[in-house]
Amino acid sequence: MGSTLLLKFRICFMSPQLTSTARFLCTRDIKPNLGGRQVDRKNSGQTRIANRTIRHGTGDVNTKKSSMLLQTSFPKFGFAAGTAKRTISFYNHTVLLPYLFLFPVLNQRCFIGKCQPPERPLLPAEWKDLRESLGNQERFDIQMMNTLFRCGSELNIAKSLLTFVAMEKGTLSYELLLRYLTLCVKSGHDDEVYDIYKIMRGSFPSLDTGASSLFIKSFSRTARWREALEILKEIKQVLTPSPRNYGDIIAAAIHHKDATTAWALYDELIEKGLSPHQETWDALFTGSEQHERLLGVLVYMRNNQLYPQQKVANTIKSWFESLDGQKWTAAWSTATPKGACGCCGSELESIQLSAEEYQELKDRVMNDVIQGRDVFNKTTPEELESFKAFVKRKPAFDVVVDGLNVARINPDKTKQSETLLTVVLELERQAPNILVLGRKHMLRPSKSWDRRNMNLIQQKVHCFFTENISEDDPFLLYATLHSGNHCLFVSRDLMRDHKACLPDDVTRRLFFKWQRGHQLVMAGNVAAGRRVKFLSIPCFDTIVQTTGDTWHLPYDDTGDRSTYEVPQRWLCLTKKN
C-alpha cells in the first residue's frame, strides 16, 4: 500500500519532464511476466568479370566462351548484399505475375482500432468516460498504454492513465508498470525510471528480464550507470544476459572513462559466445585508447566473418586517422573484378581455399554432413555407397547440377524438363564433364517431365537419379567436393541446414567461403532457345584483412542484406611510412 501511495504522489505532484530526443529501444523481446519471475527471451548496370578457368584434371579446358557463364547485368554476385531482395522482386514481377490468377484474392484490409489516444492528460472521470465509450473493454488500461507507446504520446498523458487506474483499483499491475517503464525509457525520461525502479523493487519479489533490461538501458545513460552492473549480476544468476545488456554498460563505462570495466565486460561477452552489437563496437572505437585491444576487435570481425555497419566503419576510420605518430589515410572503395582494392590497388585475399583448408573442409563435410545420421533418415547406406562407386568410375566433374532444384525455377510445371535441358545445354558449351543429379520420378513421362527432354539430357551429360524420398544435397556436396577444388555446382539452395551440421564456427566459415567461390546461381528467367546467364563468382574473399601497413574492411551500407550475403563496399586504410 505504501508503494501505491508513493506512486500516486509521484503521478499527481511531480512536474512532467519531457524530452524531444527519442532514443533507440528494442522492445520486441519484452514479454510481461505477471508472476514477477525471471523469464528467458530469447551498382546495378552491366557487370563483366575476368574469365574463370574451369579445370579438368590438370589441364585448362576453358576458353573465351566460358566468360558467358559468369557475366550478367542482374545482381553483381550471387551472394552480394541485396541480391535476395532484388531476386524476389524480379520473380514477383517477371515470373510469378502471369500466374497470380492461380491464387485466391486475399483480403488485406488493415484493421484500424477504434481506441485512439487522447491528446492531453485526462482526469480520472474523463478516462472512465472514454473507457465506457469504448464498450468497457477488458484490459483497457493495458491496451491504452500500448496505444500511447505506439503513438509516441507525451508522458504526462500516460501518468494521468496510471492515476486513474490507481484510484480505481487501489494498485497497479506489474504488466501496466512494465509498459509505462517502456514508454519512459523510449522517451528518455531517466529520472522517472528511477522512481519506477523503487516502486517495482518494493512491490514485487523479482523483476523479469524485460524490466531488468530496460533498467540497465536507462541507468547506463546516466551518472548512476554502475547500478546497472548490479542488475546485470542478478540476471546472470538466472540466465545469460543479452549482448544488448552488456553493450549498454560497456558504452556507459567507456563514456565515464572506465576502460577496465568496459573491456572486462567485453571479454565476458565474447567468452559466453555472444556476438557484440554494432553500438558496442562503435563505443569502443570512439572512447577507448587501447590500441592493441581495438585491433583485436578487427581480428574478431575477421575470424567470425562479421561486418561493421557504415556508422561503425566511419568511427573506425576516424580512429585510425587520429592515431598519434602514425599516418593512416582512409578512403571508401570497391573491389575490382580482378580482386584488387579500387583505391590503393592492393590485392585482396582469394576466395579459393588453400589445399589444407580444402582437405579439412572436405573431411568435415564427408563425416558430419554426408555420412551423418540425419542423411540416412532420407536415404540408405546402400544408395550412398552406390553413388560413391558411380562417382569413382567417372572422371572428375567440372559442374554438378541439382536437377530438380534447377527445374523448379520455372513455376510452370509443364516446362520443368525443358528448363533443366536449357540449363544443361548452356553448361555443356563451356564444361566437358557435367553431372546432373535428379530423382527417379523425373524419368517417368509426365506433363512435367517430357521423355524427349530427359533422354536428351542423359545423352549430353552424366546423370544419377536417386530414390524419390532421398535428399539431393548430400549427393551434390559429395560429388562436388570429391571432384576437386575446381568443380562448381548449380543450385538455388543455400545449404544453410547442412552448414549448421558442421561441428564448429571455423568449419562453417570455410564452408561458406567455399560455397561463395563455387556455387553458380542463375540470373533471371530461363527460357528455351535463350542463353542462360549466371551471377558472377568473385575471385576475392569478402572478409576483414590486413597486411600490417594496410587494412581493408568490408562494411554494411545497405539495409536489405540477408545474413548469407556479403557487403560490396570497403573501407581502405593505408599507412604512410
Side-chain angles (χ1 to χ4, degrees), residues 468-571:
N468 294 325
I469 64 169
S470 297
E471 190 176 0
D472 307 290
D473 297 343
F475 292 87
L476 180 141
L477 290 174
Y478 179 87
T480 307
L481 287 167
H482 185 275
S483 294
N485 207 1
H486 72 283
C487 185
L488 308 178
F489 68 94
V490 183
S491 176
R492 293 178 299 144
D493 194 313
L494 298 172
M495 308 288 174
R496 284 177 285 191
D497 290 342
H498 303 297
K499 183 170 66 173
C501 292
L502 296 169
D504 55 74
D505 290 340
V506 174
T507 310
R508 285 190 284 271
R509 288 193 292 274
L510 281 180
F511 182 91
F512 185 48
K513 180 178 179 179
W514 170 81
Q515 182 184 11
R516 285 182 287 121
H518 292 79
Q519 184 168 1
L520 287 170
V521 179
M522 288 164 288
N525 199 6
V526 175
R530 295 185 181 180
R531 300 297 299 269
V532 179
K533 292 183 178 180
F534 296 87
L535 301 184
S536 302
I537 292 180
C539 60
F540 56 90
D541 193 10
T542 306
I543 193 173
V544 172
Q545 47 198 267
T546 181
T547 62
D549 290 336
T550 67
W551 280 91
H552 288 90
L553 282 68
Y555 67 92
D556 201 351
D557 67 335
T558 176
D560 57 5
R561 182 177 68 85
S562 297
T563 55
Y564 58 85
E565 296 175 334
V566 295
Q568 298 302 293
R569 301 284 298 175
W570 293 74
L571 171 60

Side-chain angles (χ1 to χ4, degrees), residues 454-468:
M454 297 307 296
N455 286 341
L456 188 55
I457 290 172
Q458 294 178 80
Q459 293 172 17
K460 295 285 185 180
V461 298
H462 304 285
C463 295
F464 188 92
F465 296 91
T466 67
E467 296 295 334
N468 294 325

Side-chain angles (χ1 to χ4, degrees), residues 380-401:
T380 64
E382 292 77 17
E383 183 178 40
L384 187 57
E385 290 303 318
S386 174
F387 179 68
K388 289 180 179 179
F390 166 85
V391 171
K392 190 175 181 179
R393 293 195 304 268
K394 302 295 181 180
F397 301 114
D398 299 306
V399 182
V400 179
V401 181

Side-chain angles (χ1 to χ4, degrees), residues 36-37 104 121 164 239 331 349 380 422 501-502:
R37 292 176 291 113
F164 163 63
L239 47 82
E349 293 182 27
T380 64
T422 301
C501 292
L502 296 169

Side-chain angles (χ1 to χ4, degrees), residues 30 90 167 209 276 280 345 417-418:
I30 296 173
F90 173 84
M167 293 180 64
T209 53
T280 304
S417 63
E418 180 183 284

Side-chain angles (χ1 to χ4, degrees), residues 52-67:
R52 175 186 176 91
T53 301
I54 299 178
R55 294 181 178 83
H56 176 210
T58 58
D60 292 344
V61 299
N62 198 5
T63 62
K64 197 187 299 184
K65 289 183 179 179
S66 66
S67 63

